[in-house]
Amino acid sequence: MTIRVVVADDQELVRSGFAMILDVQPDIEVVAEAGDGAAAVEAVRRHSPEVALLDIRMPRMDGIEACRAISAESGCRSVMLTTFDSDAYVYEALHAGASGFLLKDVRRDDLVHAVRVVARGDSLLAPSVARRLVEEYTRPTPRAPLPDARLDALTARERETLLLLARGMSNAEIAAELVVSDHTVKTHVGNVLAKLGLRDRIQAVICAYETGLVTAGSPPPGG
């Protein structure tokens, strides 16, 4: 299957560079380039790609607003690109529905990998971004979080799955930890996302910290 991609950046050389890196891959086709967020949204409407690569700062409509519109209108998944390693951008982009977040100094192999990961329905953050995101949600607070009713919808095994997701485990690692099959883990993950109204694993990690299921320094299950 060919992964169809729209690349949006207001700097032509940057946009063309990313497009060239992706378009030479045998399984990726860049179907359109856009110089601003509004043009990116229109390109997604016209070409129905699997992935939109969006710069954060663009004229007319920025990447976050474009991501929000794309997420609301289609099944296209967005990967955000920026030169600014800023927490505010990360949170805004994730809440807008982004499935990936990379800095513009990303290596070409990592860029290609990110597009493939997001296209198959997973999520990806640049390591520095992921570290800062988790640090924000694991920052000690003066009081323990109040019980969150959202978790009541989960079975005990689904809570365990969410806990392990929040610790960064892959499906295979979760299967080994819980002594179940990969298929069973995939089912549990799907149930967690559906019951909590989450788009992907990144939002599941955020939810685990927001609800207090995972806190700074808490031991792994069975620890």
Side-chain angles (χ1 to χ4, degrees):
M1 170 186 166
T2 299
I3 303 168
R4 294 158 54 83
V5 180
V6 166
V7 178
D9 194 298
D10 61 326
Q11 295 180 290
E12 183 179 1
L13 288 178
V14 174
R15 182 174 72 243
S16 298
F18 285 134
M20 289 176 59
I21 290 170
L22 295 173
D23 214 26
V24 298
Q25 305 303 315
D27 58 336
I28 298 176
E29 177 188 4
V30 175
V31 295
E33 296 181 31
D36 60 67
V41 173
E42 183 56 37
V44 169
R45 290 171 180 159
R46 186 181 308 116
H47 297 282
S48 301
E50 284 73 41
V51 177
L53 192 64
L54 305 172
D55 183 24
I56 290 283
R57 293 193 173 188
M58 293 187 289
R60 287 214 293 163
M61 177 188 290
D62 65 27
I64 292 175
E65 286 305 313
C67 174
R68 186 173 288 112
I70 290 168
S71 298
E73 295 180 10
S74 71
C76 177
R77 298 170 68 83
S78 298
V79 176
M80 313 305 294
L81 280 164
T82 183
T83 55
F84 303 95
D85 189 2
S86 164
D87 292 340
Y89 288 131
V90 177
Y91 304 140
E92 288 185 54
L94 293 178
H95 285 296
S99 296
F101 197 104
L102 299 173
L103 301 181
K104 279 190 177 180
D105 61 0
V106 61
R107 296 186 309 121
R108 66 172 60 209
D109 289 347
D110 291 336
L111 173 66
V112 173
H113 174 68
V115 169
R116 288 173 177 153
V117 165
V118 169
R120 68 172 180 250
D122 291 329
S123 306
L124 184 143
L125 291 178
S128 63
V129 175
R131 183 172 59 252
R132 293 176 68 174
L133 182 65
V134 171
E135 284 174 354
E136 172 68 19
Y137 282 99
T138 58
R139 186 175 297 151
T141 56
R143 58 183 177 81
L146 296 174
D148 195 304
R150 284 179 288 176
L151 297 181
D152 293 342
L154 304 182
T155 66
R157 186 43 63 93
E158 288 164 356
R159 283 196 185 209
E160 286 182 285
T161 301
L162 177 57
L163 182 62
L164 297 174
L165 278 176
R167 299 197 182 286
M169 289 190 178
S170 65
N171 282 6
E173 291 169 333
I174 294 173
E177 177 73 24
L178 299 181
V179 195
V180 296
S181 69
D182 287 355
H183 176 75
T184 298
V185 171
K186 187 174 181 180
T187 299
H188 289 327
V189 171
N191 289 342
V192 168
L193 298 182
K195 288 182 178 181
L196 298 179
L198 307 172
R199 274 178 57 91
D200 50 41
R201 297 167 76 100
I202 290 177
Q203 291 194 350
V205 172
I206 293 174
C207 180
Y209 284 107
E210 286 180 334
T211 58
L213 181 64
V214 178
T215 57
S218 58

